[in-house]
Amino acid sequence: MTGRVFNPAEAEVRLYTRSGCHLCDEAKRELRKLQQQVPFEFSEIDIDQDAALRERYNDEVPVIFIHGRKAFKYRIEPREFSRILRQGPEET
């Protein structure tokens, strides 16, 4: 353990999505709202642009990864999201 305090703004949040998905749109709105409370950056990946991602997540979008780990699918629970985000990545 390094003793370093984790800064949530450094968190890696990834949203796997596709166009025409109303749950994906809701997840994106929720992430934007959560960013107002705890700053973080997130990337959005369209699974339909990659055959392997489409095969893997076709029936699960939206899928949200935090710190490289799958945290949510379909819907985000804001309190749990904040807890995971602030927790920081697990040290190896």
Side-chain angles (χ1 to χ4, degrees):
M1 188 157 156
T2 63
R4 180 178 177 270
V5 176
F6 179 72
N7 178 357
E10 297 172 5
E12 177 188 342
V13 177
R14 196 171 290 155
L15 170 64
Y16 290 94
T17 185
R18 65 168 25 125
S19 62
C21 168
H22 74 282
L23 289 177
C24 298
D25 294 339
E26 287 177 24
K28 203 179 319 182
R29 280 192 297 275
E30 187 65 35
L31 286 170
R32 294 284 183 214
K33 199 162 83 174
L34 288 164
Q35 274 186 314
Q36 301 302 311
Q37 299 167 15
V38 181
F40 61 88
E41 293 295 323
F42 78 90
S43 56
E44 185 177 340
I45 297 122
D46 183 342
I47 66 164
D48 291 325
Q49 300 302 311
D50 181 306
L53 290 176
R54 185 175 48 249
E55 183 176 329
R56 185 170 188 177
Y57 299 119
N58 189 54
D59 296 328
E60 294 189 1
V61 292
V63 180
I64 296 94
F65 276 69
I66 304 172
H67 309 303
R69 301 187 85 148
K70 186 176 180 179
F72 300 95
K73 67 179 182 181
Y74 308 132
R75 300 196 189 283
I76 301 168
E77 203 299 303
R79 285 187 183 161
E80 183 68 6
F81 178 90
S82 295
R83 185 190 68 74
I84 295 168
L85 189 72
R86 292 171 199 257
Q87 170 181 334
E90 293 180 3
E91 296 197 19
T92 56

